[in-house]
Amino acid sequence: MSSVSLGQYPPALRTLIHLSDTHFLAGNRPLGGRYDTSANLTATLARIDAMRIAPDAIVITGDLTDLGEPEAYASLRAVVEPFAARLAAPVVWVAGNHDERPALRAGLLDAAPTEEPVTGVWDLGGLRLIALDSTVPGWHHGELGDAQLSWLRDLLAHPAPLGTLLAFHHPPLPSHVPLFDILELRDQPALAEVVAGTDVRGILAGHLHYSTHGTFAG
């Protein structure tokens, strides 16, 4: 028996959970003295769980912790990984300007605690997800730099069956909030030149603490 379709479009081929800016602190200290980030994330994951979706990945686009403390990364991992394991979905950890690369790499990736950018590539059943590191240690604005853009260019030279998504912290979009332009991703034309004419279908980002969407480089 064929499946019943009530709409004009087929089901989505791939589904992602996109979260951002969890800002965990060691000892579950309240962020800004008032926000229980662990409780907020736990409640968010419970709402997602109630949707009964089967995601192909969970992408968290930066500011995973607020101060880059090793204990905060351990606490975040303890909340997210059991949830992800239950859904059988990989977790894509993306670095943000509040993160510290050495502690992030050691605490979440089981990798050497170096200052190397946190990047990676995932094949999600034909949908390619590329994580970039737009952080600039010690600063709040974002940059991708020549090395990452060259690496990205080489990857995009070979299209993926279902296209490509990029994930990094600083959104390449204007902000309507006054003074937020000091936080933006710099040298956006260089990124636009790399993605032009490729199979990139979307960019996932965070950083600004409000929901927005738009087009970049077409």
Side-chain angles (χ1 to χ4, degrees):
M1 179 181 295
S2 62
S3 60
V4 176
S5 177
L6 301 179
Q8 61 184 307
Y9 299 109
L13 295 178
R14 300 292 176 265
T15 301
L16 302 182
I17 293 172
H18 176 207
L19 304 172
S20 196
D21 293 80
T22 45
H23 283 277
F24 267 42
L25 285 162
N28 195 32
R29 305 192 312 278
L31 182 65
R34 63 184 293 193
Y35 298 108
D36 187 336
T37 55
S38 179
N40 287 346
L41 178 59
T42 299
T44 298
L45 296 181
R47 292 291 297 273
I48 294 170
D49 206 20
M51 296 172 66
R52 298 294 186 263
I53 61 176
D56 294 279
I58 300 169
V59 187
I60 309 182
T61 51
D63 283 0
L64 309 171
T65 67
D66 195 58
L67 297 174
E69 302 156 303
E71 184 184 337
Y73 288 113
S75 298
L76 177 62
R77 189 172 188 173
V79 173
V80 173
E81 286 197 343
F83 173 78
R86 192 168 67 252
L87 298 182
V91 181
V92 178
W93 304 105
V94 178
N97 58 283
H98 277 263
D99 291 303
E100 295 290 341
R101 287 174 178 169
L104 188 163
R105 292 172 62 84
L108 297 179
L109 307 180
D110 298 323
T114 70
E115 286 286 357
E116 289 296 310
V118 180
T119 60
V121 183
W122 288 259
D123 178 2
L124 307 175
L127 174 65
R128 178 170 54 188
L129 177 65
I130 301 175
L132 300 167
D133 189 338
S134 60
T135 67
V136 182
W139 299 87
H140 290 292
H141 70 272
E143 294 178 4
L144 290 173
D146 293 339
Q148 281 193 75
L149 290 176
S150 178
W151 176 69
L152 177 62
R153 188 193 307 274
D154 290 343
L155 288 172
L156 296 179
H158 306 282
L162 298 180
T164 296
L165 294 178
L166 307 181
F168 48 85
H169 187 59
H170 298 77
L173 291 174
S175 172
H176 65 272
V177 178
L179 302 181
F180 266 31
D181 50 355
I182 66 173
L183 307 177
E184 68 184 11
L185 179 73
R186 297 187 179 176
D187 200 10
Q188 294 181 21
L191 174 63
E193 188 273 327
V194 171
V195 303
T198 68
D199 70 343
V200 172
R201 297 187 173 191
I203 298 173
L204 305 179
H207 192 41
L208 300 181
H209 292 212
Y210 62 83
S211 179
T212 187
H213 69 275
T215 58
F216 173 75

